[in-house]
Amino acid sequence: MFYKHWKKIALAIAAFFWNGCNNNSSSSDVTIACSFKGGACPDYGIDFYYCENPEDYQSPDIEDKCTFIPRDPCVDYYECEDGTSCEIYEDETTMTCFDTLGNRITEDEFKSKYYVENESIH
């Protein structure tokens, strides 16, 4: 009787194993590592006021007479194993990332595909 149904049994076994090879089964569980590659801060890392009239620097109402110029923020750089690069600015909690073609990656896409090794994001 087994001999009579061997093709059906073989087909059922093949289908079982074939179904286990489905690309969608675990691809969402695979994440790509990103690691810290360095940081940069501006040369002159202080906030300051610019006043057209030099006497205004000593004025108690400097905020009204002069222009406040905040310093550029520090930025940390990250590189991912697939060539994606990211940066996160001081006092921010989300990374700005671009793939190898220069296309921006959304925060949700980053969180679903990547993780940062040995570094806690602010």
Side-chain angles (χ1 to χ4, degrees):
M1 181 148 99
F2 175 73
Y3 183 75
K4 202 174 186 185
H5 300 289
W6 72 270
K7 289 181 183 177
K8 292 179 185 176
I9 293 170
L11 183 61
I13 292 171
F16 175 76
F17 285 111
W18 186 266
N19 191 32
C21 296
N22 186 352
N23 285 341
N24 296 331
S25 63
S26 63
S27 63
S28 63
D29 297 337
V30 176
T31 56
I32 300 167
C34 302
S35 56
F36 179 71
K37 292 298 179 186
C41 287
D43 290 337
Y44 301 99
I46 58 170
D47 300 331
F48 65 95
Y49 284 95
Y50 171 75
C51 304
E52 288 185 24
N53 190 353
E55 296 88 37
D56 291 338
Y57 284 108
Q58 304 302 321
S59 174
D61 54 346
I62 190 171
E63 294 91 7
D64 297 330
K65 295 181 177 182
C66 303
T67 304
F68 178 73
I69 301 175
R71 69 172 172 83
D72 291 332
C74 297
V75 62
D76 290 338
Y77 298 99
Y78 295 83
E79 189 174 298
C80 304
E81 291 176 345
D82 66 351
T84 296
S85 59
C86 302
E87 58 188 23
I88 185 168
Y89 284 90
E90 173 181 37
D91 299 328
E92 291 186 10
T93 57
T94 58
M95 293 179 140
T96 302
C97 300
F98 296 91
D99 66 15
T100 56
L101 299 175
N103 300 315
R104 187 169 180 157
I105 297 173
T106 66
E107 181 180 356
D108 290 339
E109 185 178 10
F110 179 82
K111 288 179 179 179
S112 70
K113 290 178 67 175
Y114 300 92
Y115 69 95
V116 179
E117 292 181 319
N118 301 327
E119 184 74 22
S120 61
I121 300 174
H122 309 283

